[in-house]
Amino acid sequence: LLWTGLQAIEDRHFKQHPGVDLSGIFRALLANLKAGKTVQGGSTLTQQLVKNYFLSGERSVARKINEAIMALLLEWHYGKADILDAYLNEIYLGQQGAMAVHGFGRASTFYFGQPLERLEAQHIALLVGMVRGASWYNPRHNPERALERRNLVLDVFGETGLLSAAQVKAAKAAPLDVTETPIGSG
């Protein structure tokens, strides 16, 4: 569920594009122009990996061009499974003092006190939803916001056929289930 769920939320055309999704960039550009502000991103998972791993968070046209070129090169040299695996292990999902929480495996222990393999759909949806903004959707500091985002992700899981309507309903009824104290932060 994690691999396919992440793609459903962050990059539905991951398996088809060469690292850059021109239709996604165009869609985001139109949405942002219509809203008069940035409301959507057009970056693929590969571009996000490149930005997080190799580039700064600087917002400039030059950085976006470098990101796109590097994403194309990354996809030329590595398979989709390798890129997705690197993304799953690199993505920032939280902070505990000076320690950053990178990767879904570490985040699973940090938030739920258990390995990723034991997580249920609602837990995976919460972590996938946090990709958009780990601090903004932090379930310990912003539980209402995290719950709303988790439920939106669960709706997408249902719309894309990853979960049945009954599974979505049950997962949305479940509490956030995060541990009170972060686990594995040291």
Side-chain angles (χ1 to χ4, degrees):
L1 183 60
L2 176 59
W3 279 47
T4 52
L6 179 66
Q7 290 172 61
I9 298 298
E10 291 292 317
D11 187 356
R12 289 195 185 180
H13 303 289
F14 177 71
K15 292 181 181 174
Q16 290 82 34
H17 65 65
V20 176
D21 183 5
L22 295 178
S23 65
I25 293 169
F26 187 68
R27 181 199 74 249
L29 181 64
L30 286 177
N32 295 339
L33 287 173
K34 184 177 178 182
K37 61 180 181 177
T38 303
V39 294
Q40 273 188 30
S43 293
T44 64
L45 287 175
T46 310
Q47 287 176 275
Q48 290 177 41
L49 177 63
V50 164
K51 181 185 80 171
N52 292 340
Y53 206 72
F54 300 109
L55 302 173
S56 71
E58 168 196 9
R59 291 178 177 247
S60 71
V61 173
R63 192 208 37 94
K64 283 302 272 185
I65 291 170
N66 283 337
E67 177 185 295
I69 291 168
M70 290 173 77
L72 292 168
L73 290 170
L74 196 65
E75 293 243 0
W76 188 44
H77 289 287
Y78 297 96
K80 293 286 188 179
D82 292 330
I83 292 167
L84 189 55
D85 194 45
Y87 183 94
L88 292 171
N89 288 304
E90 166 57 29
I91 191 66
Y92 173 78
L93 290 168
Q95 191 79 27
Q96 176 64 23
M99 298 292 292
V101 177
H102 285 276
F104 282 89
R106 185 144 184 256
S108 174
T109 303
F110 183 76
Y111 291 109
F112 304 110
Q114 55 187 328
L116 192 55
E117 302 79 41
R118 292 184 46 206
L119 295 187
E120 297 180 30
Q122 66 270 17
H123 304 129
I124 291 170
L126 177 64
L127 294 178
V128 167
M130 290 177 69
V131 167
R132 188 171 190 185
S135 296
W136 186 254
Y137 297 109
N138 182 315
R140 290 194 183 100
H141 300 161
N142 303 303
E144 299 84 16
R145 198 180 293 154
L147 184 66
E148 184 178 324
R149 177 73 177 153
R150 180 203 72 177
N151 289 346
L152 179 100
V153 170
L154 286 167
D155 286 338
V156 173
F157 286 4
E159 291 164 11
T160 55
L162 297 173
L163 296 175
S164 68
Q167 289 171 312
V168 169
K169 184 177 179 181
K172 286 172 86 171
L176 289 176
D177 275 341
V178 295
T179 60
E180 193 172 313
T181 305
I183 296 173
S185 58

